[in-house]
Amino acid sequence: MFNIVLKPIVIAQQSLEGLEKPVVEAAEKVAQVVSWPQFSNFGYLVASVLFILGIKGLTHPRTAVRGNLLGATGMLIAVLVTLVGGHVSWPVAIAGIAVGTAAGTWFANTVQMTQMPQLVALFNGFGGIASVLVAGAEVLREAPSTGNVAVAGLAAGLAGLIGSVTFTGSLVAAGKLQELPQFRKPFSFPGQQIINAVLVAVSLLLCLNMMDGSGVEYILLTIIALILGVFLVTPIGGADMPVVIALLNSYSGLAASAAGFVINNNVLIVAGALVGASGIILTNIMCKAMNRSLLNVLFAKFEPSADGPSDDEVYAGKIKSTSPEEVAMLLDGVQRVVVVPGYGLAVAQAQHIVRELATLLEAEGVTVEYAIHPVAGRMPGHMNVLLAEADVPYDQLKEMDEINPTFSQCDVAIVIGANDVVNPVANTDPSSPIAGMPILNVSDARTVVVVKRSLSPGFAGIPNPLFAADNCLMLFGDAKQAMMDLVAAMKDS
Amino acid sequence: MDIITGLTIFVLAVFVGVEVITKVPPTLHTPLMSGSNAISGITLVGALLAGEGVLGGILGFLAIVFATTNVIGGFLVTHRMLSMFKKKK
């Protein structure tokens, strides 16, 4: 009995003794070649590769979930390598991670999909302020860490500047998107742009000074930059928020990259550069979709032209109002219907009932598609998310360039809560504020049904001649109620 | 690491980023933004290394909280969005 138990152990021990020497020798050899800092840098390399693969996964809906998981794995590896290898203060690290995890989980689980832009703006701000604090802690360090002191100082200045602008700018953007009363109106005062220019110049000078700088200069710099962030975003109107969020997203990445130069860490530089690139590309796409330059968005006001035609001239006597029953009859026997959703649809939570209408139509053999304007919603691609939430299959979501040539083969186009993005004035009137803005050519459809509460103008503040067109019918009412009535009428017939 | 090495890494990463990101379809632009936003929380690594002394410790702690919120919240909310795209095939 005793032997049966002991014998394998003895054998195992003997074989281990035999193994021990080569293993230890091998480990020593590895240790000679690879030091711990090198090993943790290797971990950071793996993390960087995972971030790139993660974003690559987002190039297709099928691989997107895996891509996001790859990115998260990269982050986990980067954090673990840091925890094990760095000189980390464990109580601070554990407490901070616990609080942040709780907060992040709460935000992610409670946010509504219509509020997604606010949340992204808020998180941008958090990333920005974290970079400010990291650079700040480094500046305060008595003995600066390795590397070139001047470079680290300059990078710290940039991290403080970009991070602070990102932080307050994002908070203001989030406030505007949440439609908090304090931020409802674009706020500006005379000479604001000159003051902003002075603030930028002073903070850049302070950045240069940071090369042999002190904590005092850093604090001064961050205070100025925090004010600058507020001043830069308050004058920008709600319609331009997609651009602002994309730009702030880019900034949060650049701040992280700058923090990477401060602490001499490659993974921060790489990850920050990726985010910076992503943000600037999306900024560019949004600007193109509105036919405006970035400078125009940032520094010019989007004012309705005073000399354009008034509502009465455009609408008087030409508006044809319709009823859900009439639209239901209209939809009887059609072949192709295109739904044009606007943010009004999302706010009214009408996407689910629209989906029900589509199911009814599809059951009768009708092709249903959705025309998505790039700036529909409050951030790039926001409308796609809102429709995906209502189980709309993503292959029915058509981008503007794809669907525009096909409107002439469309029996009925149903415009719900969208206004400026279907205004033909963009193509016809070079003096209009939206002149040249690419629009959805819904007026090419045989019949257009516009679901809207009233004839009130959109963000651009100009009347829409589409509503007065011969082939256009207005279905006045709340998006959700109108669609519910329409679905009921379809079921009755 | 000298400044030129750092800049080399930065510039090459920007080019990789541009190449990869321009291929993301508009349908996925919002998840891209919230996902890349989560990645910008990489500052967490810097935050973990930041604390030294009392003031450094406080700054480090705050940085860890903000960065972790950004990271965890960003990845989770992206996952939530993407599962909606996945549901219907």
Side-chain angles (χ1 to χ4, degrees):
Chain A
M1 178 69 195
F2 185 71
N3 251 347
I4 299 169
V5 179
L6 262 191
K7 211 172 179 185
I9 298 178
V10 173
I11 293 170
Q13 213 167 14
Q14 281 169 346
S15 52
L16 263 184
E17 271 165 17
L19 262 179
E20 207 173 326
K21 225 175 147 194
V23 167
V24 169
E25 274 174 6
E28 277 169 355
K29 262 185 202 158
V30 171
Q32 280 167 7
V33 187
V34 184
S35 63
W36 177 254
Q38 278 175 323
F39 180 76
S40 59
N41 273 334
F42 180 71
Y44 291 145
L45 172 63
V46 173
S48 304
V49 171
L50 285 172
F51 290 150
I52 294 169
L53 290 177
I55 295 180
K56 202 162 180 282
L58 283 173
T59 49
H60 198 283
R62 218 179 31 233
T63 55
V65 172
R66 196 179 59 206
N68 188 48
L69 290 177
L70 284 178
T73 311
M75 190 61 76
L76 184 67
I77 290 174
V79 169
L80 285 181
V81 165
T82 312
L83 283 175
V84 175
H87 304 281
V88 173
S89 155
W90 282 91
V92 174
I94 291 172
I97 290 179
V99 175
T101 304
T105 313
W106 182 81
F107 278 121
N109 287 331
T110 51
V111 68
Q112 286 177 2
M113 285 302 138
T114 43
Q115 296 174 320
M116 189 56 64
Q118 291 92 302
L119 187 74
V120 169
L122 198 64
F123 284 165
N124 273 340
F126 285 0
I129 192 70
S131 298
V132 175
L133 294 166
V134 169
E138 200 67 21
V139 169
L140 290 172
R141 217 183 267 264
E142 298 256 311
S145 48
T146 52
N148 190 323
V149 179
V151 170
L154 182 63
L158 285 174
L161 170 61
I162 304 172
S164 300
V165 168
T166 310
F167 180 58
T168 47
S170 297
L171 291 188
V172 173
K176 275 177 186 275
L177 289 163
Q178 187 68 34
E179 293 180 358
L180 296 177
Q182 299 89 319
F183 299 105
R184 193 154 288 166
K185 273 197 172 159
F187 165 84
S188 57
F189 50 84
Q192 186 166 4
Q193 291 182 12
I194 296 164
I195 292 176
N196 284 352
V198 171
L199 289 179
V200 170
V202 171
S203 37
L204 284 176
L205 272 178
L206 281 170
C207 269
L208 284 177
N209 249 329
M210 287 296 296
M211 291 174 90
D212 46 14
S214 65
V216 182
E217 275 163 329
Y218 186 77
I219 292 168
L220 193 62
L221 173 66
T222 45
I223 291 173
I224 292 177
L226 287 171
I227 297 170
L228 184 62
V230 177
F231 281 6
L232 283 175
V233 181
T234 41
I236 302 175
D240 286 332
M241 277 304 123
V243 178
V244 175
I245 303 182
L247 192 64
L248 288 168
N249 191 37
S250 179
Y251 285 176
S252 75
L254 294 180
S257 233
F261 280 96
V262 180
I263 63 164
N264 251 313
N265 191 311
N266 287 342
V267 74
L268 264 74
I269 297 178
V270 172
L274 290 174
V275 180
S278 140
I280 210 72
I281 289 172
L282 293 176
T283 307
N284 198 15
I285 291 174
M286 289 296 104
C287 281
K288 267 196 195 138
M290 300 194 296
N291 191 40
R292 304 178 64 203
S293 73
L294 183 56
L295 284 178
N296 209 292
V297 170
L298 294 180
F299 299 114
K301 279 187 216 124
F302 198 46
E303 279 178 35
S305 56
D307 50 349
S310 70
D311 289 9
D312 282 349
E313 286 171 57
V314 177
Y315 296 144
K318 296 179 200 155
I319 299 295
K320 291 183 289 294
S321 182
T322 184
S323 66
E325 291 73 24
E326 263 181 46
V327 178
M329 278 188 276
L330 190 67
L331 290 173
D332 195 29
V334 295
Q335 288 184 324
R336 184 159 170 265
V337 171
V338 175
V339 177
V340 181
Y343 190 70
L345 170 145
V347 173
Q349 292 282 315
Q351 66 269 44
H352 301 278
I353 190 78
V354 170
R355 167 74 181 138
E356 206 182 320
L357 173 72
T359 314
L360 279 177
L361 288 169
E362 280 166 346
E364 313 231 326
V366 181
T367 311
V368 180
E369 283 167 337
Y370 299 79
I372 314 290
H373 192 274
V375 294
R378 295 285 159 97
M379 66 191 284
H382 190 202
M383 190 55 69
N384 302 79
V385 174
L386 297 170
L387 292 176
E389 192 193 8
D391 286 350
V392 174
Y394 59 77
D395 50 8
Q396 287 183 5
L397 307 178
K398 303 292 178 195
E399 304 305 331
M400 181 173 63
D401 294 339
E402 193 185 344
I403 200 134
N404 258 350
T406 71
F407 269 114
S408 50
Q409 294 114 48
C410 164
D411 296 303
V412 179
I414 307 179
V415 180
I416 310 168
N419 192 345
D420 292 334
V421 296
V422 294
N423 193 337
V425 160
N427 291 337
T428 54
D429 178 6
S431 69
S432 120
I434 58 168
M437 177 171 128
I439 57 154
L440 291 162
N441 298 325
V442 290
S443 46
D444 291 351
R446 242 151 265 158
T447 309
V448 184
V449 176
V450 176
V451 182
K452 204 170 166 352
R453 282 168 190 279
S454 66
L455 288 172
S456 66
F459 276 122
I462 50 173
N464 190 339
L466 169 73
F467 302 162
D470 289 340
N471 60 343
C472 181
L473 301 168
M474 299 298 295
L475 181 56
F476 289 111
D478 170 74
K480 192 175 185 178
Q481 192 57 48
M483 295 315 284
M484 278 161 66
D485 294 345
L486 176 55
V487 167
M490 296 250 325
K491 282 180 177 164
D492 281 350
S493 63
Chain B
M1 182 177 72
D2 63 291
I3 174 75
I4 296 302
T5 315
L7 279 179
T8 308
I9 292 170
F10 177 77
V11 172
L12 292 181
V14 168
F15 275 96
V16 172
V18 170
E19 280 304 309
V20 176
I21 291 155
T22 42
K23 296 196 176 72
V24 176
T27 309
L28 291 173
H29 277 165
T30 291
L32 166 70
M33 200 178 255
S34 77
S36 69
N37 189 8
I39 292 175
S40 78
I42 187 67
T43 313
L44 177 55
V45 166
L48 289 170
L49 297 169
E52 203 173 73
V54 178
L55 192 54
I58 295 171
L59 292 185
F61 172 75
L62 289 175
I64 294 173
V65 170
F66 281 121
T68 311
T69 310
N70 186 353
V71 167
I72 301 282
F75 281 122
L76 281 181
V77 89
T78 309
H79 189 77
R80 223 182 111 192
M81 267 191 272
L82 289 174
S83 356
M84 293 185 224
F85 281 99
K86 224 189 168 184
K87 222 165 12 188
K88 281 266 163 181
K89 289 244 165 109

